[in-house]
Amino acid sequence: MTQMTFARAINSGLRKSLENDPKVILMGEDIGTLGGVFRVTDGLQKDFGKHRVVDTPLAESGILGTAVGLAYRGYRPVVEIQFDGFIYPAFDQIVSQVAKMHYRTQGAVKMPITIRVPFGGGIGSPEHHSESPEAYFTHTSGLRVISVSNPQDAHTMIQQAIASDDPVLYFEPKRRYHDKGEVDETLDLSAALSMEKARVVTEGTDVTLVAYGPLVKTARDAALAAADEGVSIEVIDLRSLAPLDFATLEASVRKTGRLVITHEASQTGGLGAEVAAGITERCFYHLEAAPVRVTGFDVPYPYSKLEMHHLPGLDRILDGVDRALGRPNSLSGLEG
Amino acid sequence: MFTDDAGKGGIAAGGPGNSAESNRRTGGDLVQLITPGGERVSNPEFDSWVQDVSDEQLASLYEDMVAIRRIDAEATALQRQGELALWPPLLGQEASQIGSARALRDDDFVFPSYRDNGVAYVRGVQPADIVKAWRGNALAGWDPYTVNVATQQIIIGAQSLHATGYAMGIQNDGADSVAVAYFGDGATSEGDVNEAMVFAASFQAPVVFICQNNHWAISEPVMLQSHIQIADRASGFGIPSMRVDGNDVLAVMAATRIAVDRARRGGGPTFIEAVTYRMGPHTTADDPTRYRDANELEDWAAKDPIERLRTLLERKGLLTGELEAAVAAHADAVAKELRAGTINMAEPQPLDIFKHVYSTPNSTLDRQQDHYTRYLASFGDPAEAASEEGAR
Ligand SMILES: Cc1ncc(C[n+]2csc(CCOP(=O)(O)OP(=O)(O)O)c2C)c(N)n1
């Protein structure tokens, strides 16, 4: 076990994948000499060479489109999109090509492409640097979408993503890059929790609180605060956003009878809606209250002076928990 | 396909030593009217376009360049003092921005990138409005229609299409104004810039593309974006181009006037590559020592655009103590205005977050706003609630 930051943990996972498989190739803007704008690829070009850690021209469609060609040729490209808001020029290649190639060719052509996306807000950035675009991709069949919430997962799941024969969107919570945690670098991939599985972060009996990526820490803090008030929250880190691990969610909600889902992304059409609907279908008779969503608003990501209003914080999550529990809350007395 | 050696044709091509790079470095076709030593040299094709520039105008170009360098320094200081979240300096690109912007008419419309703050300044954007978005108080610091400048674009190259579309509108309207897109060398790799050139050429739209080749796209050298001189790309789209010394305010002005004149007369788009250098970091969050050589910076410091014009003014006997004092006083005033405007900027209110998402009411959002209002009210003091809310 070693203490390391989130960013370092991903770096170490990338390094292992580069070492283990000569077909792994990293591509992106500024990932070489600079080591990426967040230094996640720091030192990798120096150690593996310019043909394995490639600084690309400034063209996201170009990066993903050439990754498709490299995958056709048997490579396993790991692409860095510099910031969430810059993935859209590559959107067409991702949803029309990367996602569909396996299906189109009836399995003949594999697209083992990993797309790393630093995402989410809370770092006071300018426009296009704080978005949560994950739902666009969970809506597209053929893609796997995961989001990591702690250094150990970051380390193992990047390797699992790269090893997967399916294309994987790997969402990195940028505001947690500098958070430290224990990482076992010797952990075998087969021994690690599968990247399709959700994880119970803290056990509880009163409410199930579902989060992923940057908000897992906030959700855990909320559970600690609630415990002081005698409310027992079970926090679940989704880890995989597509497919969703409903088995783990179901088991929890059957126990607690109440569900709160939180994410930074806007509410409409977001992951919260999918989790709520999926759980309602599966556990309708176990639910004591309607599922509650605590999310970003249906607004473009705001300028940084207002982002603290957009992002679900501990108090807003606890208010949602109160709603699920039927305790006094900000919406008490309102219907619907 | 892959070789270990950069520049031998693998995807890592573009490293030091390839011939395309040395072509670029020699730059024999670079239009120059003022030498780095501050000497006015003649160019039969371009001279006539700046013949009318009087001594006073030359001095006022100098004043503008000094002022925007001062804005840059002040904004950088404000960032260091925590008043701005981030700042993208344009240090070194003053001639490219002032020379080109001063060649435009008020009814021309400019589509800039995040770095073209000198252009915004020339168009009349107030200093504090320039930094408003960088302070995090707005997504856009000004109303585009009041100054005919679109807001600072962050998505690389997107504005080149907007400029082209605007130009198509001008064309339809039978007007003789011009749309201008500013972008960097890195941007020329993006699909948008290439698609903009396709549209501009196909419709012969009155648009001018101004690429400030400042040699770097964050850490990536221009060689990684283009294996030929950037100006030469345009000809493949059927767009005439010019490659000018971007640190020479007169050369940039002449080239822009030529391009704008062509567009006004129905001659279609023009591409200008202004060869310059970003002397500062990419933004205040960047550390250029990780990727670029100190010698390179020194070489370019010797070609400083402001120093060059200053020497020319000196040679012409125009650099009086009076002028120096006036220019310094003006820069001081602008910096003061920037600082005061920044520090006294009105803070946004929590519910502002819901404003202007739609131009007509939206029931989903109205409900969210209602719920959030109740949420804030549940704390008694909304301001206190907000400070506890959010990113933790
Ligand atoms: C679509 C998109 N991709 C990536 C970025 C991140 N980014 C911001 S500035 C920049 C470099 C731009 O270089 P260039 O076009 O040469 O302009 P310069 O910054 O040198 O003025 C990059 C990669 C972005 N803003 N937009």
Side-chain angles (χ1 to χ4, degrees):
Chain A
M1 287 285 197
T2 323
Q3 275 276 333
M4 60 176 82
T5 62
F6 221 107
R8 194 75 213 160
I10 301 171
N11 180 283
S12 147
L14 290 168
R15 177 176 291 279
K16 287 181 102 174
S17 296
L18 282 161
E19 274 165 2
N20 294 341
D21 185 348
K23 292 294 187 190
V24 171
I25 174 168
L26 272 47
M27 302 166 68
E29 295 161 6
D30 301 295
I31 69 165
T33 327
L34 188 67
V37 291
F38 292 106
R39 311 286 183 262
V40 171
T41 54
D42 203 11
L44 297 178
Q45 188 181 68
K46 193 164 94 351
D47 295 344
F48 293 93
K50 286 190 173 179
H51 59 301
R52 301 224 30 222
V53 181
V54 182
D55 268 333
T56 65
L58 208 54
E60 290 77 11
S61 181
I63 296 170
L64 260 301
T66 54
V68 168
L70 282 157
Y72 242 110
R73 178 74 192 173
Y75 283 87
R76 304 185 91 83
V78 183
V79 159
E80 176 177 303
I81 297 292
Q82 199 162 74
F83 277 92
D84 34 54
F86 310 148
I87 199 166
Y88 305 113
F91 193 72
D92 173 57
Q93 286 291 339
I94 298 172
V95 302
S96 305
Q97 306 302 329
V98 174
K100 294 187 175 147
M101 199 64 79
H102 194 255
Y103 193 66
R104 181 183 291 144
T105 62
Q106 300 188 27
V109 179
K110 295 202 183 341
M111 285 288 127
I113 299 173
T114 301
I115 306 169
R116 292 184 36 240
V117 191
F119 88 120
I123 62 166
S125 276
E127 202 180 0
H128 312 294
H129 290 73
S130 303
E131 303 184 7
S132 299
E134 59 273 18
Y136 295 115
F137 302 101
T138 59
H139 190 63
T140 299
S141 309
L143 301 173
R144 289 179 185 277
V145 182
I146 61 181
S147 181
V148 290
S149 72
N150 62 82
Q152 180 68 62
D153 271 358
H155 176 75
T156 47
M157 286 168 79
I158 188 64
Q159 296 176 70
Q160 290 168 332
I162 295 169
S164 167
D165 277 344
D166 290 321
V168 180
L169 272 294
Y170 178 92
F171 282 99
E172 304 170 7
K174 69 173 86 77
R175 72 163 128 142
R176 305 289 182 216
Y177 270 142
H178 302 298
D179 288 5
K180 280 193 171 166
E182 292 284 337
V183 177
D184 179 357
E185 289 174 284
T186 63
L187 190 65
D188 199 52
L189 285 194
S190 53
L193 186 61
S194 155
M195 70 172 181
E196 274 174 42
K197 287 266 170 258
R199 186 168 58 96
V200 178
V201 180
T202 35
E203 294 201 22
T205 50
D206 296 334
V207 186
T208 299
L209 172 60
V210 178
Y212 57 88
L215 288 187
V216 172
K217 177 179 184 297
T218 317
R220 205 185 49 208
D221 292 347
L224 285 174
D228 288 344
E229 292 179 32
V231 175
S232 167
I233 298 181
E234 178 145 304
V235 177
I236 294 186
D237 175 3
L238 280 180
R239 296 171 83 253
S240 174
L241 313 186
L244 283 165
D245 174 13
F246 273 110
T248 302
L249 293 175
E250 227 181 298
S252 177
V253 173
R254 278 172 199 274
K255 181 171 66 172
T256 63
R258 297 172 200 272
L259 174 65
V260 176
I261 312 124
T262 186
H263 54 65
E264 292 187 7
S266 296
Q267 188 164 92
T268 299
L271 254 288
E274 192 56 43
V275 170
I279 284 298
T280 307
E281 282 169 359
R282 289 167 173 83
C283 313
F284 186 68
Y285 294 105
H286 292 85
L287 282 169
E288 309 272 351
V292 171
R293 288 175 286 171
V294 182
T295 68
F297 301 117
D298 287 351
V299 303
Y301 196 88
Y303 38 96
S304 59
K305 284 274 173 72
L306 289 183
E307 68 179 340
M308 77 289 260
H309 291 286
H310 180 68
L311 297 170
L314 187 141
D315 290 323
R316 199 135 72 85
I317 291 174
L318 288 177
D319 188 62
V321 168
D322 286 339
R323 268 151 69 200
L325 283 166
R327 290 165 36 123
N329 64 78
S330 70
L331 302 184
S332 293
L334 270 192
E335 275 181 48
Chain B
M1 183 180 178
F2 302 119
T3 58
D4 239 292
D5 196 353
K8 281 198 189 138
I11 31 180
N18 70 50
S19 62
E21 181 200 5
S22 48
N23 280 344
R24 260 189 298 274
R25 288 275 158 87
T26 51
D29 55 346
L30 202 61
V31 176
Q32 198 172 67
L33 300 180
I34 310 173
T35 66
E39 199 182 330
R40 179 72 169 83
V41 286
S42 87
N43 177 311
E45 202 187 326
F46 284 75
D47 276 345
S48 61
W49 291 92
V50 287
Q51 232 165 16
D52 62 310
V53 176
S54 64
D55 287 352
E56 290 85 70
Q57 282 172 336
L58 213 51
S60 91
L61 286 169
Y62 177 66
E63 183 179 78
D64 271 3
M65 287 166 67
V66 170
I68 64 165
R69 182 164 290 188
R70 187 61 188 273
I71 287 178
D72 224 38
E74 196 70 17
T76 301
L78 284 164
Q79 194 279 333
R80 300 285 181 241
Q81 292 156 8
E83 297 291 344
L84 300 181
L86 192 75
W87 175 251
L90 59 79
L91 185 70
Q93 300 180 218
E94 293 86 355
S96 296
Q97 297 196 13
I98 301 301
S100 56
R102 291 276 301 261
L104 306 178
R105 252 177 21 200
D106 284 351
D107 63 333
D108 296 331
F109 206 103
V110 172
F111 290 83
S113 85
Y114 47 85
R115 203 184 298 288
D116 303 312
N117 299 306
V119 177
Y121 169 77
V122 170
R123 303 289 291 176
V125 178
Q126 295 306 302
D129 286 347
I130 292 177
V131 302
K132 204 167 181 181
W134 302 107
R135 185 166 165 84
N137 282 49
L139 290 182
W142 60 85
D143 171 355
Y145 293 115
T146 60
V147 279
N148 283 353
V149 182
T151 57
Q152 298 139 316
Q153 179 59 250
I154 290 180
I155 299 298
I156 301 299
Q159 72 276 20
S160 58
L161 280 163
H162 307 164
T164 303
Y166 191 97
M168 289 159 64
I170 293 175
Q171 199 174 30
N172 276 357
D173 295 344
D176 75 341
S177 50
V178 172
V180 184
Y182 283 87
F183 47 83
D185 45 296
T188 62
S189 295
E190 292 279 5
D192 277 5
V193 171
N194 291 277
E195 293 181 27
M197 288 199 269
V198 171
F199 273 68
S202 291
F203 297 108
Q204 286 297 291
V207 57
V208 179
F209 299 112
I210 299 182
C211 174
Q212 290 170 78
N213 173 1
N214 68 8
H215 283 79
W216 291 92
I218 309 188
S219 74
E220 301 191 336
V222 62
M223 296 86 84
L224 187 62
Q225 317 292 340
S226 183
H227 252 252
I228 58 167
Q229 288 178 355
I230 287 179
D232 292 343
R233 283 190 164 180
S235 69
F237 292 94
I239 298 178
S241 68
M242 289 172 268
R243 189 164 183 268
V244 301
D245 186 331
N247 286 11
D248 172 348
V249 72
L250 280 186
V252 177
M253 181 178 256
T256 310
R257 284 177 164 185
I258 291 170
V260 164
D261 178 67
R262 175 184 293 146
R264 288 199 207 295
R265 289 189 293 104
T270 302
F271 189 103
I272 297 171
E273 177 187 357
V275 181
T276 180
Y277 193 77
R278 154 164 70 77
M279 296 208 281
H282 169 68
T283 66
T284 43
D286 172 46
D287 173 14
T289 62
R290 285 182 75 105
Y291 53 82
R292 78 181 182 195
D293 196 7
N295 293 331
E296 187 182 283
L297 183 57
E298 253 174 58
D299 289 351
W300 279 94
K303 301 180 197 166
D304 189 302
I306 297 186
E307 203 42 45
R308 188 181 304 196
L309 183 56
R310 192 176 181 279
T311 315
L312 176 67
L313 291 170
E314 207 167 23
R315 280 171 190 268
K316 292 176 79 120
L318 300 170
L319 196 76
T320 58
E322 206 180 317
L323 176 67
E324 288 275 53
V327 165
H330 177 68
D332 283 348
V334 170
K336 217 170 141 189
E337 198 185 332
L338 170 61
R339 175 165 290 271
T342 302
I343 289 167
N344 300 323
M345 200 174 286
E347 288 298 297
Q349 296 304 304
L351 295 181
D352 288 351
I353 199 169
F354 298 105
K355 282 190 189 157
H356 306 300
V357 181
Y358 300 95
S359 48
T360 51
N362 173 293
S363 55
T364 306
L365 197 56
D366 287 350
R367 183 172 185 266
Q368 290 181 10
Q369 172 164 348
D370 176 43
H371 285 188
Y372 193 57
T373 306
R374 287 168 197 271
Y375 170 78
L376 291 178
S378 73
F379 285 84
D381 179 2
E384 194 180 302
S387 70
E388 289 184 15
E389 199 49 55
R392 54 179 187 180

